[in-house]
């Protein structure tokens, strides 16, 4: 398995990204991903009750299990736009399917940006010839750029591996920097592979990978209306089709999880105003559910997050968050360490080498281990610190 960022092409997939004036700043804002043959598809979407129009449309269409193209815009979310917004999503789909000459129900739609505004359909339709005409095997970076909002850079991961004697390629792009919280995060992600795998297995391994990657990060505790993660598998690698548990399925699953973990880390690193990636592992819980509750109680604490921004190893805030998680724990059994330095044990703070912990807190990737010593279950979550710039960015998001 390799990470190769020089040749971002997946056999049978074309992509493009252009500016049609949705954002109004001259930056790319419309992306298209296209499989030259219909692809097996699976998707995971936001659990927010205020689902955006494209999410509602996609949740209907993904039931077919086949998709050939994904079109996504940035700048406007097309959320909380009523029936008109749904019609706008359909209009975009029809414009793409007509230009590609494929069935309309093989198109999936995604949007991200400001909530409550309608899409500029005329601008999108006027750019359709350029969007489709610009499709190329090496167009993935342009499409990744076109889905960005407050992201500071495109997020792309690429993996190659072998199933039997066939080379398998997986490439994923994502956007997300703010409103990041599980189920899923506030994000869009589109993953393309030439592997031949059954729809049932693709759906299963994709959901498992989402739970361990996109559903294991948080930036600010806010759930979006537009979260969408889609995977397309066009089968053009020519491998023996993967239909059940096997070595080949394990290889594909490992590749996919590794790629999606990379994307999720990129999202947290690029959290709005973030200066640090904080990895929190809770170990020794009675259940996986307990471990997850404690991990998110810590990761979602603004007091903990601001302490990391201030490079302050404030164990009081950490143990307070642990105690607030609603999990049965023994306070005397808990151990907390940052990096390789123990900061809390036996119900009280430990003697710490100030110079050593100060050096760790200055790093841009910090690892925290919380041992509950109550059982054998664990959970890992990745979060970011909370800085002055997060407030600045979100105070002026519309202006």
């Amino acid at each position: 398995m390799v990470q190769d960022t020089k040749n971002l092409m997946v056999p049978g997939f074309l992509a493009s990204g252009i500016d049609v004036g949705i954002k109004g700043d001259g930056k790319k804002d419309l992306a298209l991903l296209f499989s030259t043959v219909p692809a097996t598809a699976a998707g995971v979407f936001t659990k927010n009750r205020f689902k955006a129009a494209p999410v509602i449309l996609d949740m209907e269409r993904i039931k077919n299990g086949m998709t050939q193209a994904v079109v996504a815009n940035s700048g406007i979310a097309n959320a909380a736009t009523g029936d008109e917004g749904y019609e706008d999503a359909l209009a975009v789909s029809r414009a793409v399917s007509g230009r590609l000459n494929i069935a309309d129900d093989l198109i999936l739609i995604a949007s991200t940006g400001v909530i409550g505004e309608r899409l500029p359909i005329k601008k999108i339709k006027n750019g359709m010839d350029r969007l489709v005409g610009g499709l190329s095997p090496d167009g993935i970076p342009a499409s990744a750029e076109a889905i960005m909002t407050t992201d500071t850079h495109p997020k792309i991961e690429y993996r190659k591996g072998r199933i039997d004697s066939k080379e398998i390629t997986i490439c994923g792009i994502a956007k997300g920097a703010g409103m990041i919280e599980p189920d899923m995060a506030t994000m869009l992600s589109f993953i393309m592979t030439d592997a031949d795998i059954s729809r049932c297995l693709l759906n299963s391994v994709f959901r498992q990978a989402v739970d361990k990657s996109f559903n294991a990060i948080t930036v600010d505790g806010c759930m979006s209306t537009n979260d969408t993660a889609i995977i397309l598998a066009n089968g053009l690698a020519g491998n023996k089709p993967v239909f059940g548990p096997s070595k080949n399925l394990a290889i594909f699953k490992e590749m996919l999880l590794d790629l999606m973990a990379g994307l999720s880390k990129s999202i947290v690193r690029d959290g709005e105003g973030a200066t640090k990636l904080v990895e929190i592992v809770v170990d020794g819980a009675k259940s996986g559910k307990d471990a997850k509750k404690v991990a998110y109680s810590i990761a979602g604490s603004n007091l903990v997050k601001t302490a990391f921004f201030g490079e302050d190893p404030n164990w009081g805030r950490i143990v307070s968050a642990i105690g607030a998680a609603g999990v049965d724990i023994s306070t005397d059994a808990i151990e907390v360490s940052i990096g390789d330095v123990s900061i809390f044990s036996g119900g009280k703070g430990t003697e710490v080498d100030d110079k050593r912990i100060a050096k760790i807190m200055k790093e841009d990737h910090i690892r925290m281990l919380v041992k509950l010593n109550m059982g054998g279950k664990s959970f890992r979550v990745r979060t970011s610190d909370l800085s002055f710039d997060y407030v600045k960015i979100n105070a002026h998001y519309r202006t």
Side-chain angles (χ1 to χ4, degrees):
M1 187 184 304
V2 297
Q3 163 81 7
D4 178 2
T5 57
K6 294 181 180 180
N7 185 19
L8 294 172
M9 294 187 288
V10 183
F13 283 94
L14 309 175
S16 67
I18 63 171
D19 163 34
V20 296
I22 300 173
K23 294 177 182 174
D25 58 6
K27 295 180 180 179
K28 292 182 176 65
D29 50 23
L30 191 62
L32 178 61
L33 304 173
F34 175 64
S35 176
T36 56
V37 297
T40 302
V44 178
F45 306 93
T46 183
K47 292 184 179 179
N48 195 308
R49 296 302 292 267
F50 277 97
K51 291 177 173 60
V55 170
I56 296 171
L57 179 62
D58 289 353
M59 290 180 72
E60 295 170 357
R61 290 184 172 180
I62 203 74
K63 295 175 183 177
N64 296 331
M66 299 297 290
T67 296
Q68 197 163 357
V70 178
V71 59
N73 75 273
S74 57
I76 292 178
N78 192 14
T81 47
D83 293 341
E84 294 85 355
Y86 187 81
E87 288 301 319
D88 289 343
L90 287 174
V92 173
S93 174
R94 292 174 187 136
V96 175
S97 62
R99 186 63 177 77
L100 289 173
N101 196 29
I102 62 175
D104 193 47
D105 61 3
L106 290 176
I107 307 287
L108 296 179
I109 307 293
S111 299
T112 181
V114 177
I115 293 172
E117 295 185 9
R118 291 186 60 185
L119 293 174
I121 296 300
K122 185 175 180 179
K123 289 181 179 180
I124 292 173
K125 288 183 175 180
N126 287 343
M128 200 54 61
D129 284 346
R130 285 191 295 121
L131 183 69
V132 175
L135 283 170
S136 68
D138 58 357
I140 293 174
S143 66
E145 184 181 344
I147 62 175
M148 293 167 53
T149 50
T150 57
D151 307 66
T152 62
H153 60 270
K155 299 170 178 66
I156 307 173
E157 294 286 328
Y158 188 77
R159 302 289 188 275
K160 281 184 177 292
R162 302 195 78 82
I163 292 181
D164 296 327
S165 61
K166 301 297 184 180
E167 184 175 72
I168 301 297
T169 303
I170 308 179
C171 184
I173 64 174
K175 66 80 51 182
M179 286 184 74
I180 300 296
E181 176 68 354
D183 295 326
M184 292 157 15
T186 265
M187 50 157 286
L188 302 180
S189 183
F190 310 116
I191 297 171
M192 299 154 279
T193 180
D194 59 350
D196 190 343
I197 181 171
S198 73
R199 179 194 173 193
C200 180
L201 283 181
L202 183 68
N203 183 63
S204 176
V205 298
F206 187 54
R207 289 179 178 276
Q208 291 174 44
V210 166
D211 283 342
K212 293 182 179 180
S213 57
F214 299 146
N215 278 352
I217 59 176
T218 180
V219 169
D220 54 14
C222 296
M223 183 192 294
S224 170
T225 54
N226 290 63
D227 301 339
T228 298
I230 293 166
I231 185 169
L232 306 180
N234 64 18
L236 294 182
N239 61 284
K240 183 178 179 181
V242 181
F243 285 115
S246 62
K247 179 183 177 181
N248 289 342
L249 177 62
I251 292 171
F252 179 79
K253 186 175 179 179
E254 181 184 357
M255 288 176 64
L256 180 62
L257 179 57
D258 188 58
L259 178 136
M260 291 171 64
L263 288 173
S264 67
K265 287 180 185 177
S266 295
I267 290 172
V268 176
R269 284 188 183 277
D270 199 27
E272 290 171 345
T275 68
K276 300 179 188 299
L277 168 63
V278 183
E279 192 170 331
I280 301 167
V281 176
V282 175
D283 197 11
K286 290 181 178 179
S287 67
K289 184 178 180 181
D290 283 354
K292 187 172 184 178
K293 280 185 177 181
V294 173
Y296 270 105
S297 186
I298 300 168
S301 166
N302 285 342
L303 290 177
V304 172
K305 291 161 72 68
T306 51
F308 275 101
F309 174 65
E311 300 176 352
D312 174 16
N314 192 325
W315 58 261
R317 295 182 178 184
I318 296 168
V319 299
S320 177
I322 295 171
V327 170
D328 182 25
I329 56 173
S330 170
T331 56
D332 288 338
I334 292 170
E335 301 173 62
V336 180
S337 60
I338 296 178
D340 59 359
V341 177
S342 172
I343 61 171
F344 184 87
S345 182
K348 60 184 179 180
T350 59
E351 292 187 14
V352 175
D353 181 333
D354 290 339
K355 289 185 178 180
R356 175 62 183 151
I357 195 68
K359 183 179 179 181
I360 292 173
M361 295 301 292
K362 289 184 181 297
E363 296 175 359
D364 61 6
H365 185 180
I366 301 174
R367 292 177 175 83
M368 179 196 303
L369 174 62
V370 176
K371 294 182 178 179
L372 299 181
N373 294 314
M374 299 288 289
K377 300 299 182 179
S378 65
F379 187 81
R380 179 192 310 269
V381 65
R382 297 180 176 94
T383 188
S384 61
D385 59 347
L386 188 60
S387 72
F388 306 125
D389 285 342
Y390 177 85
V391 177
K392 292 179 182 177
I393 291 168
N394 284 284
H396 302 289
Y397 185 67
R398 286 172 59 92
T399 57

